[in-house]
């Protein structure tokens, strides 16, 4: 809010309080508008205070179950959610949902809005199983109310699919999106490389499987695109998603000196080179036999290890396929074997530098011990 405009709003509120009282209906209605302005400006503590005072005014003027009052409580819950007080937000949104369902019906847009806010907050709490159970009824009710092709319904359906994906239920997620759940791993990695090259951002986290990929990209001063934190990019061709985060959103230690394009470009180069190798490997091994997960290994987030490492988790491949893949890697012209565990064609694998990615290491060993094995439905 501009300073002059804000001063005018507060003066108007004071005038309404003098004429109608602190809890009068007109005062509460305007205070609700002011609280929304404060929320939009990111002034969450002040927004919470004004929403609570608005609730008192509406409750006294029109009653606790009036739609004005319930809308105020819904917005208060969203402020609490933004302040990280998720338990309070869930309790309040649940009460708003129940009251709206009893007042205007379970498929009224106001009721569906509260239901969607509630399930989104459950996801933020990490209660993915509960959210997954509630989404089908929510999606069905929204389709009945707005139509299956409404953009808001499509967005809720995508949120449902994202929760299923995070739970490892990839085929169900793909069914909701109408996409093939199994993609060539080489295509997925090429999409990752394209996103890294396009943004010039360092991967704070990267995980790629045959079901697509998820990137979390860290912003820095040399990024090629003007993207703020909290944004999400999607590659529509291969369903690779990117979440944009800033230094305040990632774990310590944080070293800005190493968080730049000098690292993002080599990782993109290595990802592309690995994709080309996997395309050849899948042809040689046979379709569906290259069951791997690829991630960027960085023990000190978000700073990548030096040199950066792309780790290939092959634990779902049979020993026979691993041996054949080892031979393929060693047969690549110019490949440099940096480390081998267990002898030639034995043990858990080795670390190499592939041609075309001289500044990045590709390993089938590093970082595996700190990560669980992929599930049968994941890799």
């Amino acid at each position: 809010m501009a300073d002059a405009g804000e001063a005018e709003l507060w003066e108007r509120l004071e005038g309404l309080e003098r004429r109608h009282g602190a809890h009068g209906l007109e005062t509460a209605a305007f205070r609700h508008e002011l609280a929304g302005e404060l929320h939009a400006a990111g002034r969450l503590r002040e927004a919470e205070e004004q929403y609570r005072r608005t609730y008192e005014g509406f409750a006294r003027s029109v009653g606790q179950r009036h739609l004005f009052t319930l809308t105020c409580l819904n917005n208060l819950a969203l402020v609490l959610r933004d302040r990280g007080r998720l338990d309070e937000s869930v309790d309040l949104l649940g009460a708003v949902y129940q009251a709206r369902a009893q007042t205007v019906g379970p498929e009224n847009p106001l009721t569906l809005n509260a239901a969607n806010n509630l399930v989104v907050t459950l996801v933020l709490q990490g209660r993915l199983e509960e959210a997954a159970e509630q989404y089908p009824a929510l999606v069905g009710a929204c389709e009945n109310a707005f139509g299956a092709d409404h953009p808001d319904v499509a967005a809720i359906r995508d949120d449902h699919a994202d929760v299923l994906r995070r739970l490892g239920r990839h085929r169900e997620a793909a069914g909701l999106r109408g996409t093939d759940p199994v993609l060539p791993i080489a295509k997925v990695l090429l999409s990752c490389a394209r996103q890294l090259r396009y943004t010039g951002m360092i991967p704070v986290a990267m995980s790629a499987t045959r079901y697509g990929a998820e990137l979390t990209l860290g912003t820095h001063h040399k990024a090629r695109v003007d993207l703020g934190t909290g944004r999400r990019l999607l590659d529509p061709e291969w369903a690779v998603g990117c979440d944009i985060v800033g230094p305040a959103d990632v774990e310590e230690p944080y070293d800005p000196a190493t968080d730049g394009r000098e690292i993002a470009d080599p990782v993109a180069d290595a990802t592309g080179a690995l994709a080309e190798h996997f395309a050849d490997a899948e042809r040689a091994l046979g379709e569906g036999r290259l069951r791997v997960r690829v991630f960027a290994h960085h023990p000190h987030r978000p700073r990548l290890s030096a040199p950066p490492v792309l780790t290939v988790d092959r634990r779902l491949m049979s020993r026979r396929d691993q041996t054949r893949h080892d031979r393929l890697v060693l047969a690549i012209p110019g490949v440099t074997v940096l480390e081998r565990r267990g002898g030639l064609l034995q043990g858990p694998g080795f670390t190499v530098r592939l041609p075309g990615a001289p500044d990045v290491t590709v390993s089938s060993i590093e970082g595996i011990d700190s990560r669980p094995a992929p599930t049968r439905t994941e890799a």
Side-chain angles (χ1 to χ4, degrees), residues 119 122-123 126-136 163-164 166-169:
V119 75
L122 289 175
V123 173
R127 296 161 63 178
L128 301 183
E129 294 285 358
E130 292 181 59
E133 291 178 3
Q134 294 188 27
Y135 262 122
V163 168
L164 293 174
R166 291 171 62 182
L167 288 169
R169 294 158 61 176

Side-chain angles (χ1 to χ4, degrees), residues 263 267 296-300 302-310 359 361 366:
I263 294 180
V267 172
H297 178 60
H298 37 83
H300 305 294
R303 181 174 53 205
L304 285 170
S305 54
V309 175
L310 293 179
D359 298 325
T361 300
E366 189 160 355

Side-chain angles (χ1 to χ4, degrees), residues 315-355:
R315 284 177 287 186
L316 275 178
M317 291 174 63
S318 68
R319 180 57 62 88
R320 175 175 175 269
D321 286 334
Q322 285 188 27
T323 300
R324 294 173 65 202
H325 186 220
D326 290 348
R327 290 197 181 103
L328 287 172
V329 172
L330 295 174
I332 298 174
V335 70
T336 302
V337 179
L338 303 177
E339 181 182 17
R340 185 180 294 122
R341 300 279 183 90
L344 181 63
L345 306 179
Q346 297 177 6
F350 46 74
T351 300
V352 303
R353 284 187 181 174
L354 294 176

Side-chain angles (χ1 to χ4, degrees), residues 262-327:
E262 295 82 2
I263 294 180
D265 278 349
V267 172
D269 291 342
T271 303
L274 189 59
E276 294 177 5
H277 164 67
F278 279 160
D280 293 336
E282 197 149 36
R283 285 192 292 271
L285 295 174
E287 184 178 356
R289 302 198 69 84
L290 188 70
R291 299 174 62 83
V292 300
R293 175 176 58 182
V294 178
F295 55 90
H297 178 60
H298 37 83
H300 305 294
R301 298 176 62 176
R303 181 174 53 205
L304 285 170
S305 54
V309 175
L310 293 179
T311 299
V312 179
D313 189 343
R314 305 184 304 170
R315 284 177 287 186
L316 275 178
M317 291 174 63
S318 68
R319 180 57 62 88
R320 175 175 175 269
D321 286 334
Q322 285 188 27
T323 300
R324 294 173 65 202
H325 186 220
D326 290 348
R327 290 197 181 103

Side-chain angles (χ1 to χ4, degrees), residues 110-179:
L110 289 173
T111 306
L112 297 177
N113 172 261
N116 185 56
N117 289 336
L118 175 59
V119 75
V120 167
T121 310
L122 289 175
V123 173
L124 292 175
Q125 279 188 305
R127 296 161 63 178
L128 301 183
E129 294 285 358
E130 292 181 59
E133 291 178 3
Q134 294 188 27
Y135 262 122
L138 174 61
V139 171
C142 289
E143 288 178 343
N144 291 336
F146 307 114
D149 297 329
H150 193 281
D152 290 344
V153 179
I156 295 172
R157 196 181 297 116
D158 283 344
D159 290 343
H160 182 198
D162 186 61
V163 168
L164 293 174
R165 179 196 59 77
R166 291 171 62 182
L167 288 169
R169 294 158 61 176
H170 298 284
R171 292 191 180 277
E172 295 174 72
L176 289 176
R177 289 188 167 124
T179 58

Side-chain angles (χ1 to χ4, degrees), residues 194-201 217 223-225 227 233:
R194 182 163 57 189
Q195 295 281 40
L196 292 170
R197 178 69 70 191
Y198 165 69
T199 62
M201 293 178 178
L217 302 180
R224 296 190 178 93
V225 290
L227 294 171
L233 295 177

Side-chain angles (χ1 to χ4, degrees), residues 85-107:
R85 290 153 59 180
L86 299 180
D87 291 343
E88 295 175 69
S89 182
V90 163
D91 291 343
L92 198 51
L93 286 169
V96 170
Y97 169 75
Q98 293 293 339
R100 281 181 171 175
Q102 295 170 6
T103 302
V104 295
E107 293 195 356

